[in-house]
Amino acid sequence: MWDFEQGEVLAFDKPLRWTSFDLVAKVRYNLCRLLGTKKLKVGHSGTLDPLATGVVIICTGKKTKLIEQLQYDVKEYVTTLQLGATTPSYDLEKEIDATYPTEHITRELIDQTIPLFLGEQWQTPPMFSAVQINGKRAYELARKGQEVELKPKLLVIDEIEVLRFDPQMMQLTLRIVCSKGTYIRALARDIGERLGSGAHLIALRRTRVGNTRVEDCLTIDQFLEKLKTYESPNRLSETK
């Protein structure tokens, strides 16, 4: 039984094109209506790009104190890279800005290159990211055409596995297990460069956070349906 007043840790499968904040706002709005309150602490334990889907952990009430701890959970992704082209955002948010040769890219070259990304890595975050720069998000500056220098960050990639390579389409699908702060879009950029070409993401799904797998998550529609039968343990409100 849920007890949102005392606090809950909820696992959602974030929809495509929603921001993590969109999901938090939707959950908070419906819980505040349900509980008959104007204020309720609700937060997430890790941002997921709008063009990505998958696991987002949301905490309510007193459980929001766990957010900082949960942020350090290992994350797993399945992603598809388009080789031979780049975009300013390193994904499909922006149009292709440059193309590169791919004739030299073979499965053998990929199998030689991918293991180079295992372990500790210094990674420069994308300009189109939520990194704070003088109190503003990097993506806010990027969308205004401003360029700033982002400092590389140390991260860890525990596992990286080739799931599929389509040499006709030049598309590469990977499974990645990594630490907090890893930008899969930036990893795509770096892989493209190591392959002597370019790359950007065309699909990204977060399949696990800690021990929480995407198949165990609720969609937002499933969550709202469950709220229809919710009864507060403290009987502060009736189910609507």
Side-chain angles (χ1 to χ4, degrees), residues 120-234:
E120 290 189 342
Q121 306 281 326
W122 286 98
Q123 184 187 80
T124 302
M127 264 303 297
F128 286 83
S129 66
V131 173
Q132 289 265 7
I133 304 172
N134 298 324
K136 292 193 174 182
R137 301 291 187 182
Y139 64 76
E140 295 175 351
L141 301 175
R143 285 169 184 157
K144 292 178 181 178
Q146 299 180 33
E147 291 190 14
V148 295
E149 186 176 349
L150 296 176
K151 296 180 180 179
K153 294 185 177 182
L154 186 64
L155 52 89
V156 178
I157 297 179
D158 297 304
E159 299 176 46
I160 184 165
E161 175 189 5
V162 176
L163 297 181
R164 185 169 57 255
F165 173 55
D166 183 336
Q168 279 74 44
M169 297 296 292
M170 273 294 147
Q171 293 177 358
L172 175 63
T173 300
L174 303 170
R175 183 184 68 88
I176 300 159
V177 178
C178 55
S179 66
K180 173 184 183 290
T182 303
Y183 283 93
I184 306 301
R185 288 179 289 131
L187 182 60
R189 170 202 63 200
D190 297 342
I191 289 173
E193 291 176 357
R194 284 283 185 95
L195 288 171
S197 185
H200 63 280
L201 295 191
I202 58 173
L204 178 61
R205 185 157 175 77
R206 185 190 281 165
T207 50
R208 180 168 63 87
V209 173
N211 293 321
T212 302
R213 297 190 170 276
V214 70
E215 51 265 31
D216 302 321
C217 293
L218 290 169
T219 65
I220 188 63
D221 289 339
Q222 289 170 337
F223 176 69
L224 297 179
E225 192 64 28
K226 283 178 175 289
L227 287 188
K228 293 178 181 179
T229 59
Y230 174 78
E231 292 185 11
S232 169
N234 300 321

